[in-house]
Amino acid sequence: MSKYEMGLQKGMILSDEPGYYEAGEFGVRLESLVEVVETPDIGPAEGRFLTFRPVTMAPIDLKMVLPEMLSVEQTAWLNAYHATVRDKVMGLWEKQGKGEELKAWLVNQTRAI
């Protein structure tokens, strides 16, 4: 493998940009950063598989989500991601002494669907 063919390695940070586009009409893209991490308990003894862990901690705007179009797995992922965002950001904001109005906004934006 040449230096230009490096595969994913633990610790790398990547941009994840899934999107949907209608030719000549519109498009939407969600951009976030993810870290390449080893799976905790999946893979052969000599090496774990790799997966992604979100680095970007920002709520996904629920006004743009149609829950009836999500699978059970997609809904569970979104709710788990929002719970992580809420916990990490709220912890930081509490240390910084952020106001209750801002905290209430975060709770609302990361509510389960």
Side-chain angles (χ1 to χ4, degrees):
M1 176 183 318
S2 78
K3 66 180 181 179
Y4 302 108
E5 298 175 302
M6 179 186 295
L8 294 176
Q9 295 181 12
K10 186 174 106 175
M12 288 179 162
I13 303 290
L14 308 170
S15 176
D16 181 25
E17 304 177 12
Y20 177 82
Y21 302 92
E22 287 283 338
E25 296 293 325
F26 67 91
V28 63
R29 180 171 62 201
L30 302 173
E31 298 182 28
S32 61
L33 297 179
V34 294
E35 178 185 9
V36 178
V37 297
E38 288 184 340
T39 57
D41 55 2
I42 302 172
E46 63 273 5
R48 300 290 178 207
F49 293 120
L50 299 175
T51 189
F52 302 112
R53 176 174 50 215
V55 174
T56 304
M57 290 289 120
I60 293 172
D61 191 343
L62 295 175
K63 292 183 288 191
M64 303 300 290
V65 175
L66 297 173
E68 63 273 13
M69 293 187 72
L70 299 179
S71 68
V72 170
E73 293 82 10
Q74 291 167 330
T75 301
W77 179 90
L78 180 58
N79 288 337
Y81 172 73
H82 273 169
T84 300
V85 169
R86 185 174 49 254
D87 291 346
K88 290 185 181 253
V89 173
M90 189 71 73
L92 178 63
W93 285 355
E94 286 174 352
K95 288 179 184 175
Q96 295 175 342
K98 299 293 183 184
E100 294 305 314
E101 184 177 333
L102 190 55
K103 293 177 188 176
W105 174 86
L106 181 63
V107 169
N108 182 56
Q109 296 301 309
T110 58
R111 68 190 179 279
I113 59 169

